[in-house]
Amino acid sequence: MAALIAENFRFLSLFFKSKDVMIFNGLVALGTVGSEELFSVVAFHCPCSPARNYIYGLAAIGVPALALFLIGVIWNNHTWNLVAECHKRGIKNFSAAATFLLFGSIMGRAAVAPVTWSVISLLRGEAYICALSEFVKPSSLDKFPAEYGAEVLARFPCKDVPANLTKFRDEVTRRLRYESQLFGWLIIGIVAVLVFLTKCLKHCCSPLSYRQEAYWTQYRSNEDKLFRRTAEVHSRILAAKNVKQFFGFVALDKEEKELVQEFPVEGVQPSPQWNAITGVYIYRENKGFPLYSRLHKWAKGVEGNGPSPEAHEMLFLAS
């Protein structure tokens, strides 16, 4: 158990450090697999009771998947950029294609963990067997005793059955596990085809060349890293100045003293500047020159958010 907890902490560390979409999605999937295994070992216990099995089995598959989906939506930066966009500017400047692209990006990223959870649950089969064992028709089982019905079938997942029904329990379990795994493999196949078609459509519809798209990805990653690092230093220096003004002095370590001396902070950025660099960003060009982010757009002094001859919306969202 200690090793499993340590592994989950390592996963979370990598999760929050990862910026690449493929690595991010891979880590989400691996973490979901580990969580599903832990849930199956520790938490999943079929009630083996008519009417309860079905609800419990579906809840074991659906409720964690729903929770993972909502967590994925919450952790996606595009979600809060969209909230900021709607709050400050509305989405009237976005075309229908751009809006669909944005929601597709949010939902697609958020669906990685719940789909993985559902697939692993179906491949394992326990939840599916628990949910549907009571619905197996006794007439489909050769020479099944007529005196037994749904109540004894509901106990099959717990193996708590009379000795003369052992072979029927094995047959029902095998049949339901086959169905469960078949659905799991079908979902994997469908998702793989959808991902392939989406990637093809994305590259076919992209206004950028492969190299420029790679450069844009690198730019956004570097901008985000530098912005966060600079914001952390700026806020620390500003806090130090305010604390010094209140107490008359401020207790700084050697590194912080060097930062205060090296980077003098005169004030704070006004709210209009923060609003200008916050929100959803669809790739745009100004007079033929690319604008790679809202910060880039602000730095170039380009006004407005809607498409125009000089600020053209290219209907392409960053990954």
Side-chain angles (χ1 to χ4, degrees):
M1 181 62 70
L4 182 60
I5 295 175
E7 193 66 29
N8 279 320
F9 274 112
R10 283 195 292 271
F11 160 73
L12 289 174
S13 176
L14 290 172
F15 181 91
F16 286 109
K17 292 179 180 178
S18 174
K19 301 298 181 184
D20 184 82
V21 173
M22 296 302 294
I23 295 177
F24 178 90
N25 291 341
L27 289 174
V28 171
L30 288 176
T32 305
V33 171
S35 301
E36 205 282 335
E37 290 291 333
L38 177 63
F39 173 82
S40 297
V41 173
V42 177
F44 184 81
H45 298 289
C46 185
C48 294
S49 175
R52 296 179 181 177
N53 284 13
Y54 184 70
I55 296 175
Y56 185 82
L58 291 185
I61 298 175
V63 173
L66 176 61
L68 289 170
F69 177 78
L70 295 177
I71 291 172
V73 171
I74 292 171
W75 278 350
N76 194 326
N77 290 334
H78 288 322
T79 301
W80 305 115
N81 284 334
L82 177 61
V83 172
E85 188 74 21
C86 294
H87 177 65
K88 297 296 181 182
R89 289 174 286 269
I91 59 173
K92 58 182 180 297
N93 292 322
F94 283 164
S95 64
T99 304
F100 175 80
L101 186 64
L102 176 62
F103 277 101
S105 175
I106 295 174
M107 299 303 170
R109 179 77 67 84
V112 173
V115 169
T116 303
W117 177 279
S118 300
V119 167
I120 297 301
S121 296
L122 290 172
L123 292 180
R124 288 181 61 89
E126 281 86 351
Y128 187 89
I129 294 171
C130 177
L132 297 182
S133 62
E134 64 181 287
F135 297 104
V136 175
K137 294 182 178 180
S139 59
S140 66
L141 302 173
D142 186 33
K143 298 180 180 180
F144 187 81
E147 63 270 19
Y148 298 112
E151 184 175 352
V152 71
L153 289 170
R155 300 209 310 268
F156 277 10
C158 297
K159 302 180 181 180
D160 181 22
V161 296
N164 63 324
L165 297 181
T166 301
K167 66 175 183 178
F168 298 107
R169 176 182 59 78
D170 294 340
E171 181 179 350
V172 169
T173 301
R174 183 169 56 251
R175 181 188 303 179
L176 293 177
R177 180 169 283 112
Y178 154 77
E179 293 177 0
S180 179
Q181 293 181 349
L182 178 61
F183 289 138
W185 290 120
L186 286 175
I187 292 175
I188 291 176
I190 293 172
V191 170
V193 172
L194 289 177
V195 170
F196 172 75
L197 294 178
T198 301
K199 294 291 289 185
C200 291
L201 184 63
K202 175 185 175 182
H203 287 290
C204 289
C205 297
S206 171
L208 307 179
S209 67
Y210 173 77
R211 290 189 180 276
Q212 188 180 9
E213 186 177 339
Y215 176 85
W216 185 28
T217 301
Q218 292 173 347
Y219 170 84
R220 290 177 61 87
S221 176
N222 289 325
E223 181 189 84
D224 183 67
K225 291 177 183 177
L226 292 173
F227 189 91
R228 290 175 181 273
R229 191 185 308 164
T230 304
E232 195 276 333
V233 173
H234 186 281
S235 61
R236 186 184 303 183
I237 296 173
L238 181 62
K241 290 181 62 176
N242 293 335
V243 171
K244 183 177 181 180
Q245 184 174 353
F246 184 82
F247 287 107
F249 74 96
V250 59
L252 301 174
D253 57 29
K254 182 179 178 181
E255 179 184 354
E256 290 170 334
K257 289 179 181 178
E258 294 175 352
L259 289 176
V260 171
Q261 294 175 357
E262 185 177 359
F263 305 110
V265 173
E266 301 300 333
V268 296
Q269 288 67 32
S271 293
Q273 289 186 9
W274 285 104
N275 294 336
I277 66 170
T278 303
V280 176
Y281 186 74
I282 304 293
Y283 179 79
R284 290 177 172 86
E285 293 183 357
N286 180 256
K287 298 180 181 179
F289 290 93
L291 299 173
Y292 290 121
S293 69
R294 283 197 170 275
L295 181 60
H296 188 190
K297 180 181 174 183
W298 172 85
K300 290 296 183 180
V302 178
E303 300 293 336
N305 189 49
S308 68
E310 293 187 350
H312 182 55
E313 179 182 312
M314 302 298 287
L315 305 183
F316 193 61
L317 184 69
S319 300

